[in-house]
Amino acid sequence: MAASSETLIPGLTDDVSTQILLSLPLPHQLRLRQTCRRWSRLLYPPSSFPLRRALRLPSLPLLCLFPSDPSIIPPLLFDPLSFSWRILPPLPCSPFSYNLTRFSPIFLSPFLYLIGGSLFDTHSYPLGQPSPSGAVFRLDLSALGNPHSIQWKRVEDMNSPRGSFACAITGNGGIVVAGGGSRHSVYPSHGSRISSVEKYDVASGKWTNLEALPGYRAGCAGFIRTGAKEDEFWVMGGYGDYKTLSGVVPADVYYSDAVVLGMKSGMWKVVGDMWMEGERARMGPLAVAEGSDGKAEAVFMLDSNEIFRYDFDSNTWLKETSLKKKIAHDESCGFAAMNGDLYVLTSMLKSESSEFRRAYKRRPTLEVQVYSPNKKKWRLFTAHPPLHRQVEFKSTILCTIQI
């Protein structure tokens, strides 16, 4: 009995017990820390995260949701394996800015970064125009086991404020951003467009400017892909200038091409149009399936109720599948790639103005459609985020995390 009490799990060796405990979903690990001191030390994230990588255990996929301005509504972590949620701390609140949106969250272990965005700044004029933000915050997710110490920390600002921009993780522990402006969901055609490109070095905590984009581009998506001679930073879609309809109403001019930056050569090349005129007006939401090195293995686009896969050789979008459950054209949704699968999220709670009180009391529900490109199969489930309001995906920003 004395020998058994000294092991992590009675009747098993510590090596086997360690693999079992570290293979559990992260929310379960955090709850099991209260079992005993040995379990608490083993499952403490600052020690368990490196140990998982040393043991080469499968990564724990998590989905991070930013339902609104993160200084008002805290971001949420969702574990699709255990259907559990965890509330992250809110972003520090500023008395001079509000309604932050169009920022880019990105995970570079063990930190979750929140970069840039568009907001309303009481110091700017006119007050009705959104302003780009250069602020960068990071959250140490290894401190999840200690809720009193986990908090957002501000790091060095970008050289150029930007929102609605391309963002990706480089292969040498850095972050690269390109384009952007002051895009805001309420005022879609107002604000600035920029062409600047920057790279953040995590070790030094400094931003350095790279060769600028061939032209102004905002609302674009970016990812890193392994090229024949060097890693490549792809920037797809987006919008540049805007035109006026009937000389009055401003409308964005959307791109149908992509530009590629060689990470060693530092030179840009232009890739031709990815679709023919009249095929689609703009690029839909992208989901990038990444390998263990964080580089793109496949790129998918959600266009209405169909999912397309990008073919790099032919520079075209090929139809992959159609959604299992159709989504109305006026309904917004979330689209993300996680652990090799594609996730499409929609809100099932409709809050009509006449039924506001009743909708507010109901529990928000998300309907999740998961597609496996390898198995060519769909599965559906529902999830209940710990919120008192429905998730509006027109303003919700998603980020995938692999621990």
Side-chain angles (χ1 to χ4, degrees), residues 2-329:
S4 298
S5 63
E6 295 176 357
T7 61
L8 287 168
I9 300 178
L12 297 177
T13 64
D14 281 355
D15 291 341
V16 175
S17 301
T18 298
Q19 298 234 11
I20 293 175
L21 293 175
L22 293 181
S23 298
L24 295 173
L26 182 61
H28 293 348
Q29 292 185 28
L30 298 178
R31 285 194 290 268
L32 288 175
R33 289 190 61 219
Q34 303 177 7
T35 304
C36 63
R37 290 184 179 180
R38 292 201 65 191
W39 284 26
S40 179
R41 289 193 297 267
L42 174 66
L43 300 177
Y44 185 48
S47 58
S48 65
F49 288 179
L51 186 56
R52 284 186 53 84
R53 291 191 290 269
L55 295 174
R56 298 183 179 181
L57 294 174
S59 58
L60 296 174
L62 299 173
L63 186 64
C64 187
L65 283 78
F66 294 82
S68 183
D69 185 338
S71 65
I72 299 176
I73 299 180
L76 305 171
L77 280 183
F78 174 60
D79 186 348
L81 300 178
S82 61
F83 297 93
S84 57
W85 297 83
R86 185 177 180 89
I87 301 176
L88 296 178
L91 202 68
C93 185
S94 170
F96 305 108
S97 61
Y98 60 95
N99 205 5
L100 178 65
T101 185
R102 304 294 179 181
F103 52 85
S104 289
I106 195 165
F107 179 70
L108 183 56
S109 184
F111 298 109
L112 174 62
Y113 287 86
L114 193 152
I115 307 173
S118 294
L119 47 76
F120 290 103
D121 192 340
T122 58
H123 288 160
S124 65
Y125 182 83
L127 292 178
Q129 297 283 352
S131 301
S133 171
V136 181
F137 297 86
R138 74 179 186 186
L139 185 71
D140 187 358
L141 292 185
S142 66
L144 279 173
N146 188 356
H148 300 289
S149 64
I150 182 172
Q151 58 183 348
W152 292 95
K153 177 183 178 182
R154 187 163 181 172
V155 296
E156 182 175 296
D157 290 4
M158 291 183 289
N159 297 326
S160 300
R162 68 187 78 217
S164 193
F165 54 95
C167 182
I169 297 174
T170 63
N172 54 356
I175 301 172
V176 59
V177 298
S182 60
R183 179 72 165 179
H184 195 278
S185 58
V186 179
Y187 302 96
S189 297
H190 290 276
S192 61
R193 278 86 163 154
I194 62 176
S195 60
S196 70
V197 180
E198 302 178 48
K199 181 180 178 182
Y200 179 73
D201 182 72
V202 175
S204 64
K206 300 294 183 181
W207 289 93
T208 56
N209 291 325
L210 302 179
E211 182 69 21
L213 287 163
Y216 298 124
R217 190 179 293 250
C220 44
F223 56 87
I224 296 290
R225 180 174 183 258
T226 302
K229 297 180 179 180
E230 59 182 343
D231 285 351
E232 299 173 336
F233 176 42
W234 284 65
V235 179
M236 284 185 166
Y239 55 91
D241 202 356
Y242 67 89
K243 59 184 178 181
T244 57
L245 302 178
S246 302
V248 179
V249 182
D252 292 318
V253 176
Y254 288 94
Y255 293 119
S256 58
D257 65 350
V259 291
V260 182
L261 173 67
M263 296 306 296
K264 288 185 178 179
S265 65
M267 302 298 294
W268 286 95
K269 64 178 180 180
V270 179
V271 179
D273 291 341
M274 297 177 286
W275 57 82
M276 303 297 292
E277 185 176 354
E279 186 177 353
R280 60 176 56 89
R282 55 184 291 186
M283 188 175 69
L286 291 191
V288 180
E290 300 176 340
S292 57
D293 56 358
K295 299 172 185 176
E297 290 187 342
V299 181
F300 299 91
M301 175 179 64
L302 179 62
D303 188 3
S304 185
N305 284 293
E306 297 179 332
I307 295 178
F308 293 82
R309 181 197 292 259
Y310 181 69
D311 183 74
F312 288 92
D313 295 329
S314 62
N315 186 32
T316 55
W317 290 96
L318 305 177
K319 183 177 177 180
E320 174 75 16
T321 185
S322 298
L323 295 186
K324 187 71 173 179
K325 189 172 182 179
K326 304 300 181 182
I327 299 175
H329 292 289

Side-chain angles (χ1 to χ4, degrees), residues 341-359:
D341 294 334
L342 301 177
Y343 286 71
V344 180
L345 296 84
T346 53
S347 180
M348 295 181 64
L349 176 59
K350 309 298 180 185
S351 57
E352 301 292 340
S353 57
S354 60
E355 299 181 357
F356 176 78
R357 291 182 178 273
R358 184 182 304 174

